Amino acid sequence: MNNPLNRRRALALGAGVAGALAVGTTPASAATWQLRWSPTPSADGLNAFEGLEDDRADSHTDVKHIYVEGDHYRFDMHTRDRDGDDRQRNESKGMRSGSTLHKINKDQTWRIAYQAYWPSSLTATTKFTHIFQMKVQDVGGPLWTLTPRQKSKPTLTVLTLRDDDSNTEHTLADWTPLQNKWIDVEWEFKASNSGGYLRWVIRNGSTTVVDGRTTAVDLWRDINYLRPKWGIYRSIESSGLQNTYQLIRNYKAYQLV
């Protein structure tokens, strides 16, 4: 390096590297999934939710239908329970961590995952039986639902809402093979009128039962924020209704930021 020419070349190279770094060659940060909500039943209890809709009509007084049971949350439904003349509803709504209420706002992308246990007594019905809903806070009907329906055979479906307020029914899988075991459920979605999408994944152990996606869905209303609901919401206008329940554990909600 005693050669003056070599020294000049080294200085020029160093200046070039420094100049390149100074001009903003640092890559932009890629979007990542950040965990927002992961309640522990024993510690958080029912405070994990924004609120409960537990026998609002007082049809089954002095009975709690939503409660912690071991490592999971339990949602009971009895044939006598009512939420209006023709339906039943025992659901939790929203996501809360301590004093923080997690709101799903316009154009945000979220992933919500959990494990569900659906017993044989939770029968597919000819009318609606929703075991998950995504709704606008305190306004209107659901943007999508997870719904076991009695067709030619019991079938798990997703009902999505389109821009014209019509519903599209997506067939996911046979219902019976998914019962009496823990099933992984995952939703990924962008809460938008334009450019929104919904993806659903159902896994039975290591087997992916279905992995579907649609953009033909309206996932925003310019009114309030979105919030998920879990439990059982069903019509009484179907035969074969039984006392039943749904178990949920390992809730997790991530936001893409």
Side-chain angles (χ1 to χ4, degrees):
M1 192 64 74
N2 291 327
N3 188 316
L5 179 59
N6 289 339
R7 285 200 300 272
R8 286 196 297 272
R9 287 174 176 170
L11 290 171
L13 178 60
V17 171
L21 292 175
V23 179
T25 57
T26 303
S29 298
T32 58
W33 291 104
Q34 291 197 2
L35 182 64
R36 298 298 195 201
W37 184 63
S38 181
T40 301
S42 60
D44 300 298
L46 299 179
N47 291 324
F49 306 109
E50 179 181 349
L52 304 177
E53 295 174 347
D54 184 337
D55 190 23
R56 297 187 300 180
D58 292 325
S59 62
H60 199 172
T61 56
D62 300 322
V63 173
K64 295 294 184 183
H65 298 83
I66 305 170
Y67 51 94
V68 171
E69 185 181 66
D71 67 346
H72 55 264
Y73 293 92
R74 181 173 175 127
F75 302 82
D76 287 340
M77 182 65 75
H78 309 97
T79 56
R80 63 174 288 181
D81 299 337
R82 292 291 182 271
D83 188 76
D85 294 335
D86 63 347
R87 60 196 60 201
Q88 305 174 295
R89 184 199 303 271
N90 291 319
E91 294 180 298
S92 67
K93 55 187 178 183
M95 304 176 291
R96 185 186 298 277
S97 300
S99 61
T100 301
L101 179 61
H102 303 289
K103 298 181 178 181
I104 300 169
N105 291 311
K106 187 174 184 179
D107 295 330
Q108 292 181 344
T109 301
W110 285 73
R111 178 182 293 158
I112 296 175
Y114 56 95
Q115 291 183 303
Y117 186 97
W118 303 313
S120 297
S121 57
L122 184 54
T123 53
T125 54
T126 53
K127 300 293 184 179
F128 65 87
T129 292
H130 302 325
I131 54 178
F132 173 88
Q133 301 188 73
M134 181 63 71
K135 298 190 71 174
V136 181
Q137 183 252 351
D138 292 337
V139 177
L143 303 181
W144 84 80
T145 70
L146 186 63
T147 305
R149 295 179 67 88
Q150 181 60 51
K151 300 184 177 182
S152 58
K153 56 185 176 181
T155 305
L156 184 62
T157 70
V158 168
L159 299 176
T160 57
L161 187 68
R162 298 174 66 97
D163 289 337
D164 62 0
D165 289 337
S166 63
N167 286 317
T168 302
E169 184 173 273
H170 310 267
T171 297
L172 271 58
D174 291 348
W175 174 237
T176 304
L178 301 178
Q179 294 184 276
N180 303 311
K181 63 187 71 174
W182 287 102
I183 298 295
D184 292 284
V185 182
E186 183 178 301
W187 308 101
E188 183 182 311
F189 58 97
K190 184 176 182 180
S192 299
N193 297 119
S194 177
Y197 71 92
L198 171 64
R199 179 186 176 205
W200 53 84
V201 182
I202 304 291
R203 295 186 180 92
N204 181 359
S206 60
T207 300
T208 299
V209 177
V210 63
D211 186 339
R213 188 178 188 275
T214 184
T215 57
V217 61
D218 186 356
L219 289 182
W220 186 251
R221 292 285 188 271
D222 289 314
I223 306 172
N224 292 326
Y225 59 92
L226 308 189
R227 64 185 178 194
K229 301 183 74 176
W230 291 272
I232 300 174
Y233 174 50
R234 68 182 181 180
S235 168
I236 63 171
E237 297 177 353
S238 290
S239 61
L241 296 184
Q242 301 179 39
N243 292 339
T244 190
Y245 60 91
Q246 176 178 196
L247 310 180
I248 305 284
R249 71 183 184 187
N250 294 337
Y251 284 110
K252 287 182 172 54
Y254 303 85
Q255 184 184 355
L256 189 65
V257 294

